[in-house]
Amino acid sequence: MRAFRLAYDGRPFHGFQRQPTVPTVEGRLFDAFDSLGVFDRDDRHRPPGYAAAGRTDAGVSATAQTVAVECPEWCTPRALNGELPADVRAWASAPVPADFHATHDATRRAYAYHLYAPDLDDERARAAAAILRGEHDFHNLTTDETGTVRDLSVGVARDGDFLRIHAAADGFPRHLVRRIASVVRGVAAGNRPPEWASRLLEPDPLDGPDGAPTAAPDPLILTDVSYPGVAFERDSEAAASAADVFGDRRRDALVRARVFDRLAGVDGTDPDTN
């Protein structure tokens, strides 16, 4: 058995979990394992021993998604990258016991939400995060009906025009981090009092206009999954490939942002017209 760390840009995919008619990260991963001969998709539903750390939603990215599979030693991150699309890069791996399960053996998962917040109040944002921190029943912040009680670590840090919301727990019900981001934004913008965050943790359902909306998926990244006793080894060539691919995308995004800056200047303030 071998476990792999994956980084991917979630925007082109309809989530991580395989679906029959739309592109997903897992679907592309299964294609790669099939091409490498790790399993035959015509004979098996999934690769032998396969499991993943979690199922990110459509648009959500990752730097440390983790999957495990029975595969030969030659199946390295760089070999996997040779069959994966550029949107998905393996960059580290580790040998794991035959009974290893990438979902159930994970003891901690961490996410970061990069909230565009040039005008939001940092202290109010931190106050909202402090209320949500600790062990609570987050039933008002998820669509799940079970597994809603979690011991959550939440922090907020200023990074230029962004607030980085860091959340870690042993597991996350659906949409929890994205709704936490909307709570932090609502309180930090002054649209909601800090007491609203407390009300969301109470037993009574709170939905509709009083509930917490689900923030956009694009700013969310799965940043870490912890497995005690598993030491991942970085594949330098595979990691360099990831740096190249996503570095190019960063450059393209900066260029597009520059264009949008100029398009926003149609009110006559664009320096290109002066």
Side-chain angles (χ1 to χ4, degrees):
M1 285 280 289
R2 196 157 196 87
F4 295 89
R5 293 287 207 196
L6 304 177
Y8 52 82
D9 176 1
R11 293 173 303 165
F13 299 105
H14 291 253
F16 180 82
Q17 187 179 14
R18 182 180 47 151
Q19 300 179 49
T21 59
V22 294
T24 67
V25 178
E26 191 173 61
R28 295 296 182 259
L29 188 61
F30 282 12
D31 289 342
F33 282 131
D34 187 10
S35 297
L36 290 169
V38 171
F39 87 121
D40 187 338
R41 294 194 72 162
D42 294 332
D43 295 335
R44 300 188 65 130
H45 179 64
R46 60 178 55 208
Y50 173 83
R55 301 170 177 177
T56 52
D57 292 335
V60 177
S61 299
T63 57
Q65 175 68 280
T66 306
V67 302
V69 64
E70 292 179 16
C71 63
E73 288 188 9
W74 55 258
C75 186
T76 62
R78 69 187 70 180
L80 197 53
N81 284 345
E83 303 298 334
L84 285 169
D87 311 278
V88 185
R89 299 283 88 185
W91 59 272
S93 65
V96 291
D99 61 351
F100 178 84
H101 197 286
T103 309
H104 304 320
D105 291 346
T107 58
R108 199 77 167 161
R109 295 167 174 85
Y111 286 86
Y113 194 95
H114 295 265
L115 179 65
Y116 183 66
D119 301 322
L120 298 189
D121 185 289
D122 293 16
E123 291 305 315
R124 290 179 64 90
R126 294 189 184 100
I131 292 170
L132 299 173
R133 188 179 303 130
E135 185 172 343
H136 305 286
D137 187 338
F138 291 98
H139 67 100
N140 279 318
L141 294 172
T142 176
T143 56
D144 289 353
E145 296 183 354
T146 61
T148 58
V149 177
R150 297 290 175 176
D151 187 358
L152 190 68
S153 169
V154 185
V156 176
R158 169 63 63 180
D159 183 10
D161 283 342
F162 290 83
L163 285 175
R164 182 180 183 273
I165 303 169
H166 176 270
D170 60 346
F172 285 87
R174 186 172 176 83
H175 294 164
L176 177 57
V177 182
R178 290 165 59 189
R179 293 197 181 188
I180 287 172
S182 74
V183 172
V184 170
R185 178 174 56 198
V187 174
N191 298 326
R192 300 278 194 171
E195 292 75 22
W196 174 56
S198 298
R199 288 182 59 204
L200 289 164
L201 301 177
E202 294 177 356
D204 293 337
L206 198 64
D207 50 24
D210 292 327
T214 303
D218 293 14
L220 183 59
I221 306 173
L222 173 62
T223 59
D224 191 33
V225 184
S226 300
Y227 298 96
V230 177
F232 285 89
E233 181 179 353
R234 181 186 181 91
D235 183 319
S236 58
E237 182 177 310
S241 171
D244 288 343
V245 168
F246 298 124
D248 286 346
R249 295 195 175 195
R250 178 183 182 277
R251 178 203 62 205
D252 293 344
L254 290 172
V255 171
R256 291 303 301 164
R258 185 75 171 180
V259 171
F260 288 132
D261 282 345
R262 294 302 178 262
L263 292 174
V266 294
D267 63 354
T269 62
D270 185 350
D272 288 348
T273 64
N274 298 329

